[in-house]
């Protein structure tokens, strides 16, 4: 009985030791104490990705969000459920955001930077650069998820209007030319 107890005790100690991280000095930490998730990294069963609530307000009725920083890609302020996925021959985003239609739709027009081949600076006229076709690659919907670590980043804007509009194409070569 006593022997069995000792064996299991040393087994527990051995397993515990395996997850110990030795820091400089005398302090020792378990892996679960490090990082943000506070769970073992060897098992996913208690881990749920944060999803948050997405807006259900339809395009045309939503309120635009202030940009995160100057010339950051604006967050999508409206519901996109019926607009996805974006397919090769079907991109509903363009219907409302293409500059000719955007004004009458009350939508922000796709900016000049998206009609420019940025690598070469070539003006593509009214042809959207292929790299910009998949809007969802850069533009995301704002959600109400609580970040595990408070975000203290504060965007800086050189002009008040840039809180709601971008001007990347005009300032791209600032300080270079
Ligand atoms: C039916 C028209 C319509 C469609 C389709 C549409 N939008 Fe919009 N979008 C709008 C309108 C109008 C606004 C302005 C806010 C409002 O009135 O809801 C807007 C706002 C936005 C904004 C915020 C712009 C800013 O200045 O802050 C982004 C980004 C955006 N839409 C991206 C998209 C993407 C990506 C898609 C495709 C998945 C899409 N939209 C499809 C009409 C549309
Ligand atoms: C490769 C990343 C990328 C893709 C793809 C992309 N955008 Fe953008 N978008 C940006 C960035 C960055 C900005 C802000 C700087 C600028 O204007 O170029 C922006 C700005 C915008 C703006 C704000 C314009 C203004 O005047 O304030 C709209 C509207 C927009 N994009 C719509 C779209 C739509 C619709 C698509 C898909 C057809 C799309 N974007 C694809 C990165 C992207």
């Amino acid at each position: 009985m006593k022997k069995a107890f000792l064996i299991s005790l040393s087994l527990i100690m051995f397993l515990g030791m395996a997850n110990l991280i030795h820091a400089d000095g005398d302090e020792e930490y378990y892996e679960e104490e490090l990082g943000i998730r506070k769970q073992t990294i060897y098992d996913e069963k208690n881990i749920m990705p944060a999803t948050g609530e997405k807006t259900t307000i339809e395009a045309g009725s939503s309120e635009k969000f202030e940009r995160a920083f100057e010339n950051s890609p604006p967050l999508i302020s409206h519901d996109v459920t019926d607009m996805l996925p974006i397919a090769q021959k079907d991109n509903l985003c363009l219907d409302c955001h293409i500059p000719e239609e955007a004004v009458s739709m009350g939508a922000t027009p796709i900016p000049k930077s998206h009609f420019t081949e940025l690598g070469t600076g070539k003006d593509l006229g009214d042809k959207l650069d292929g790299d910009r076709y998949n809007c969802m690659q850069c533009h995301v919907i704002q959600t109400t998820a609580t970040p595990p670590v408070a975000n203290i980043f504060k965007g800086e804007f050189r002009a008040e209007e840039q809180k709601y509009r971008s001007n990347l194409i005009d300032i791209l070569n600032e300080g270079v030319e």
Side-chain angles (χ1 to χ4, degrees):
M1 184 68 188
K2 206 171 171 191
K3 206 171 168 193
F5 174 73
L6 271 177
I7 289 171
S8 49
L9 189 68
S10 49
L11 192 69
I12 288 166
M13 280 176 72
F14 171 75
L15 287 172
M17 290 290 283
N19 291 345
L20 261 180
I21 308 263
H22 292 267
D24 283 346
D26 294 325
E27 279 184 89
E28 289 173 335
Y29 298 93
Y30 284 93
E31 283 176 348
E32 291 78 0
E33 294 174 85
L34 304 170
I36 297 166
R37 65 190 244 163
K38 306 287 177 233
Q39 294 278 348
T40 172
I41 55 169
Y42 302 107
D43 187 356
E44 296 292 314
K45 76 172 185 291
N46 293 325
I47 305 294
M48 289 295 288
T51 47
E53 293 286 319
K54 290 190 179 72
T55 183
T56 52
I57 303 174
E58 277 179 33
S61 314
S62 74
E63 249 177 66
K64 295 175 200 170
F65 304 113
E66 190 178 305
R67 307 279 159 98
F69 54 90
E70 199 179 295
N71 282 310
S72 62
L75 291 161
I76 305 168
S77 48
H78 54 75
D79 188 21
V80 289
T81 344
D82 297 332
M83 304 172 187
L84 300 177
I86 292 172
Q88 196 191 357
K89 292 207 167 78
D90 190 16
N91 187 343
L92 282 173
C93 316
L94 293 175
D95 291 1
C96 298
H97 285 278
I98 205 89
E100 306 87 78
E101 301 295 334
V103 181
S104 62
M105 298 302 294
T108 313
I110 300 175
K112 187 73 196 145
S113 58
H114 296 27
F115 295 93
T116 307
E117 207 178 78
L118 283 187
T120 58
K122 190 175 162 212
D123 187 335
L124 300 173
D126 59 3
K127 194 178 160 289
L128 186 78
D129 182 18
D131 290 352
R132 305 287 188 164
Y133 188 76
N134 180 12
C135 318
M136 303 308 285
Q137 188 185 327
C138 306
H139 296 276
V140 293
I141 308 161
Q142 192 170 50
T143 61
T144 53
T146 317
V149 176
N151 185 2
I152 55 166
F153 175 80
K154 208 174 167 302
E156 295 280 344
F157 299 88
R158 284 174 290 181
E160 198 58 25
E161 61 262 27
Q162 282 156 9
K163 287 185 174 173
Y164 290 94
R165 286 306 292 268
S166 58
N167 66 344
L168 187 67
I169 204 72
D170 304 327
I171 58 137
L172 201 57
N173 288 325
E174 219 171 53
V176 180
E177 288 172 328

